[in-house]
Amino acid sequence: MFLKDRTALVTGSTSGIGLAYARALAAEGANVVINGFGDADAIERERAGIEKDFKVKARYSAANMMKPDEIAAMVAEAEKEFGAIDILVNNAGIQHVAPVEEFPIEKWDQIIAINLSSAFHATRAALPKMKAKGWGRIINTASAHAFVASPFKSAYVAAKHGIAGFTKTVALEVATNGITVNAIAPGYVWTPLVEKQIPDTMKARNMTKEQVINDVLLLAQPTKEFVTVEQVAALAVFLCTDAAKSITGTTLPMDGGWTAA
Ligand code: NAD
């Protein structure tokens, strides 16, 4: 329970990796603010489940990560209730798969806004209170696509490379403030985001579902296994420990060897 009396805000945490981060941080005693879209009853079950399972406070913000004013309001509300956000996890993300010349302009704008700019808006809003406390952890979810590309994912790859650069820059700016800033770069993790891109990839590459899983998704992952959300969340918890206080400005791969190739 080394995070007792800390507060974590995790964007995009109503499912997948984000929910695993929220639960893992709560398991160490942190109060959490979850955020994201989905069925209201299902979200309430997740929120109440965190409180019940870990005896912490869990709040939900419906802020849309495409909207800077809603992001600022989410941070302000969390600070009003908890004093400061000690751990900010910028995780919300979406995907769209299409050849660049057919890539819908509004999808490009959405992906850049949610996967990249929302991290800027949340960090910008949360940093002053973190600096005042002299302790903080900012953890951004990047991707193996922060290091390498795949065809038909121009917006996602651009946003994730951007996250790696943003992570380095902020880490340098706050290096003497007791705040570390890192990104985690998972390979393929089995979550709704991956499941949802299978039909588009089937269409773009004219493949069956099995072919997409084995010949596209896991083709790049030498272990031939999906990363699990629990593994990603465990790395985030480690980044919050004192042992990790000298790790800053990095984008840490957890990709079954993908970017070693
Ligand atoms: P997911 O679809 O399960 O979760 C995405 C979360 O973001 C959900 O809670 C969703 O409601 C939320 N979200 C989407 N749009 C939003 C918006 N406008 N405002 C607020 N919340 C919004 O996906 P996931 O796989 O858990 O992805 C989480 C992060 O991990 C993303 O940044 C993704 O790029 C990254 N990632 C995923 C994988 C993978 O293989 N699944 C690999 C590398 C990186």
Side-chain angles (χ1 to χ4, degrees):
M1 299 291 272
F2 76 102
L3 295 177
K4 201 170 172 312
D5 300 325
R6 300 276 187 210
T7 297
L9 186 154
V10 185
T11 72
S13 47
T14 52
S15 94
I17 296 169
L19 183 57
Y21 283 137
R23 290 186 59 86
L25 293 166
E28 295 297 342
N31 295 317
V32 294
V33 180
I34 60 170
N35 155 260
F37 298 153
D39 173 72
D41 290 342
I43 293 172
E44 175 51 23
R45 270 198 303 280
E46 292 296 353
R47 189 204 64 76
I50 292 172
E51 290 199 332
K52 183 168 165 286
D53 293 347
F54 307 116
K55 314 281 176 276
V56 298
K57 286 186 187 158
R59 298 289 178 262
Y60 166 67
S61 164
N64 183 341
M65 293 302 105
M66 285 182 64
K67 303 205 168 143
D69 53 334
E70 292 189 19
I71 298 170
M74 170 183 73
V75 170
E77 257 169 55
E79 289 177 344
K80 199 167 154 213
E81 172 152 16
F82 296 112
I85 295 165
D86 304 291
I87 301 160
L88 171 65
V89 186
N90 293 306
N91 170 75
I94 60 166
Q95 176 63 284
H96 189 78
V97 180
V100 69
E101 72 275 26
E102 290 164 24
F103 212 92
I105 292 168
E106 68 277 11
K107 279 287 173 199
W108 173 276
D109 289 343
Q110 275 172 20
I111 290 175
I112 298 300
I114 297 168
N115 297 21
L116 177 59
S117 302
S118 76
F120 157 72
H121 294 296
T123 300
R124 183 178 185 281
L127 262 181
K129 291 253 159 64
M130 262 187 205
K131 277 186 174 170
K133 279 180 91 170
W135 193 93
R137 295 288 186 264
I138 299 175
I139 300 167
N140 301 317
T141 307
S143 161
H145 284 127
F147 299 110
V148 295
S150 299
F152 313 122
K153 296 184 178 178
S154 53
Y156 188 89
V157 172
K160 294 300 185 180
H161 276 65
I163 278 289
F166 179 68
T167 299
K168 288 184 194 173
T169 309
V170 182
L172 297 182
E173 291 182 24
V174 299
T176 57
N177 294 96
I179 302 168
T180 70
V181 188
N182 292 287
I184 298 177
Y188 278 103
V189 188
W190 188 256
T191 67
L193 182 142
V194 166
E195 213 173 340
K196 273 187 269 175
Q197 65 186 277
I198 289 176
D200 285 343
T201 309
M202 285 166 68
K203 214 162 66 190
R205 296 189 181 228
N206 195 20
M207 285 179 163
T208 65
K209 185 175 174 186
E210 288 64 39
Q211 284 172 321
V212 170
I213 290 177
N214 295 315
D215 302 345
V216 179
L217 302 185
L218 293 181
L219 178 72
Q221 208 143 287
T223 52
K224 299 296 169 203
E225 281 176 10
F226 285 99
V227 179
T228 69
V229 296
E230 290 80 12
Q231 290 163 357
V232 178
L235 181 51
V237 170
F238 175 69
L239 287 172
C240 295
T241 64
D242 282 343
K245 72 190 276 199
S246 296
I247 301 176
T248 195
T250 63
T251 295
L252 298 163
M254 183 182 274
D255 62 9
W258 175 351
T259 52

